[in-house]
Amino acid sequence: MTPQIQTTTEAVDQVFLLIFGISVVMLLGIAAVMVYFAVRYHHRRHPQPTSQVSSNLWLEITWTVLPTLIVLAMFYYGWAGYLALRNVPEGAMEVKAVARMWSWVFEYENGRASDRLYVPVGRPVKVHLVSEDVLHSFYVPAFRIKRDMVPGMDNYVWFVAPEAGSYHVFCAEYCGTGHADMITRVEALPEGEFIAWLARVEDEGAGGEDLLRRHGCLGCHSLDGAQMAGPTFKGLYGREKRVLSEGRERTLIVDAEYLRRSILQPKADVVVGYPPIMPDYEGRLSEEDLEAMVEFLRTLQ
Ligand code: CUA
């Protein structure tokens, strides 16, 4: 039942063109006939009714059967296209896409993680969709795929990038203040380059900035002082901050201990003026990563 298709883009475009084509023909046809009849049977030309015909069996059969066939054809191709999007080709590479307010992380089977979705050209990729907090939606216009990411629900999409290149990824479900910042890219690399990229396990001595990006911190905190969903990291270290701790406001100086606590249990001291929306990183970071991140934040003067 599923026609052999090469890419998800083809699967969707074929159905789109079919339905769009039928719609254009119907629109033009109906409008033309309507205008023709309005002129042809204008009451000034025909002051008296010219026909006493009240029904025509064949005409009624025709305008019932024909549209039914057209609509059934649209349904058939739509359904076949949907199946093509749901049936992942064999040998697809598997990646987990994790969405959270407000960034993306893509995790590979060998432990590699990235804020961009690197894929090999020409190989199908199955993307498992996971949300850590609220409803997001994984949307890659170039490959015609869009699927909601519902917390607690398993879902997936697949696609294949036919050519090397960089393709937009958006979040297509309003998920709060930073929704519009949930933008990243699919980077399609030639197979050899991709394998080399995948093998480069960055955990040994990964830079602090790399880690911040990989763990999604930069989705809400800027490095250059720009206003985002959370306070900027620039010049943070050593500064005085008004924070809310257990409902009471107090002032503290940002030191290494405060930075650690703010990463592991961000709700303990929330900077006044910002909502308490950052997820806990307790148990999700290695000690080395945490140290590297805090060390990097200290240097951002
Ligand atoms: Cu995530 Cu909108």
Side-chain angles (χ1 to χ4, degrees), residues 99-104 131 133-138 149 170-176 178-183:
R100 63 170 85 106
M101 295 188 279
W102 290 284
S103 61
W104 302 95
S131 167
D133 37 45
V134 299
L135 205 62
H136 301 275
S137 182
F138 182 75
M149 308 173 83
F170 299 109
C171 176
E173 190 70 64
Y174 183 68
C175 52
H179 164 67
D181 296 324
M182 287 190 73
I183 295 176

